[in-house]
Amino acid sequence: MSELIELKATEMNKSELYKELDFVRSQIQIFKERTAQIDGGNWRKNVSDDFDKDALWSHYKKVISELESLLKYRYDAE
């Protein structure tokens, strides 16, 4: 009986993991869109000389990198 309860808990964790990873994917897309809006396709022309834009753009890129690393991690959910 306890094995059945344990199995259901594992399945639930797997479901929650997939939900969280889908959320991460959606956030990556949002931050990519925002960086694209900021740089307008030309970082050197539109961002490099503007301290505020450069700060936002750089931090968004770091967030994207951190979120992408979550997708590369090998999870133990079964």
Side-chain angles (χ1 to χ4, degrees):
M1 181 73 168
S2 66
E3 290 176 24
L4 181 60
I5 293 170
E6 213 172 288
L7 179 61
K8 286 184 179 181
T10 302
E11 290 173 2
M12 184 177 192
N13 290 336
K14 183 178 178 180
S15 173
E16 287 297 313
L17 172 64
Y18 289 153
K19 188 185 297 185
E20 290 300 319
L21 292 176
D22 285 341
F23 174 76
V24 168
R25 288 182 190 96
S26 71
Q27 294 305 299
I28 289 171
Q29 188 59 38
I30 289 169
F31 279 101
K32 283 183 176 182
E33 290 169 3
R34 288 184 179 176
T35 57
Q37 283 178 336
I38 291 171
D39 70 22
N42 188 339
W43 179 86
R44 186 162 309 281
K45 179 182 175 189
N46 297 325
V47 178
S48 65
D49 292 333
D50 186 324
F51 178 81
D52 295 328
K53 281 185 180 180
D54 187 38
L56 284 171
W57 188 89
S58 297
H59 285 89
Y60 285 169
K61 285 295 197 175
K62 287 179 187 175
V63 170
I64 291 168
S65 176
E66 290 293 323
L67 291 172
E68 287 175 339
S69 72
L70 286 173
L71 297 179
K72 294 176 185 174
Y73 184 80
R74 184 179 173 104
Y75 295 95
D76 291 334
E78 295 180 8

